[in-house]
Amino acid sequence: MNHYLKTVLFKFKTITSKMNTIIPKRNKRIVLYSNWGFRDNLRTLYQYLVDNGYQEEYEIICASNDFYHLEKEKDVKYVSIYRGLYYFLTSKYFFYSFGKYPIKPAPNQMVVNLWHGMPLKKIGNLEEGLENVDYNFFTKLVSSSDYFTPIMKAAFNATEEQMLLVGNIRNDELFKEKQDKRIIWMPTYRNSKNYHDSQDALIFSLKEDDFSKIEQLLSEYGYQLYIKLHPLEESRLQVQMNHSNIHLLTEEIISEQYGTLYTFLGTTSALITDYSSVFLDYYLLNRPVAFTINDYDEYKDKRGFVFEDVRSLMVGSVIRDSHDLLEFLESVMKSEDSYIEERTKVNDKVNAIQKDFTKTLLNEIGLKKKG
């Protein structure tokens, strides 16, 4: 959201929240909102609604700052985040994943905070200095399991009644396309203000010779390696210009060629990551995961984790250098995987819901379509 608009709304949140209780709501109006691109859980929900014909019975409004390459439906309305404020105040159902209107829901509203994955790093009221900030502007807040519910409650100062055990609905996307000879590497963004120059994601310490060896191995087995960086770090790595089997995956490329990141994830044979909770979702596929956690202690000290030992959730190989990386890649290509049973156990712990995520969400909040 525009910083000025956000500041104004926060300043007058008591007044706007009272106004929201007075303004009549349209029971057949659904609003999907994101001020950081129309993607993630919100995009999955949108696709489910239109694919199942909800627009025939409900008025669906999408409010965002960027719709990427979304194929727009003639029976759905697409507006800016500014016009979206009017629709928020007049809608029965409102969903958000990134950003929000800092206005308390009316008693007859269903405002759902879908968030964007269960947190491993401290968020919201769990962050130092943010303990007293009000983040509770929803009727319901999603959680993926009883393991994460206390964390989500504490991060958003939510009540037990506000919790919605439905999982991350974007996980529906994981099962849309068939598996292919692809491996994805998703390093977590390191804020340079919080880290020493010597502490960096492993990906940036690799030399051209390392990438050449990776390329050679990938070529031998007919695999492709896709590297998905934070948008602020994409300019630091341009390997896709030099190697035919190594590609840089941007939000633009994902949106244009694959629709969503999770649809693409579903086509991969293995995942390399670190402190991103994407691996918890990926466990649903029960495919190999490797972790690059050289800076674990510093990351824990500077950023902080929600659990004392996050490593207990990390089931898979640990990659410390290029040699480990090559070893993991080859094991994937040879279909060698010794972590299947252990991953299943952790998956059951962190993902209480393991299929039909969007359908479960809509049933839980009573948003049903006739016929």
Side-chain angles (χ1 to χ4, degrees), residues 23-24 44 266 371:
I23 297 171
T44 306

Side-chain angles (χ1 to χ4, degrees), residues 15 33 37 48 57-58 112-113 121 204 211 226 282 287 298 301 304 307 314 359:
I15 297 170
Y33 172 90
Y48 184 93
E57 189 177 329
Y58 292 85
V112 181
N113 180 355
K121 303 175 284 286
F204 299 118
F211 282 113
Y226 293 83
Y282 201 76
R287 297 173 194 168
E298 181 165 10
D301 181 53
F307 300 111
M314 297 177 173
K359 184 178 180 180

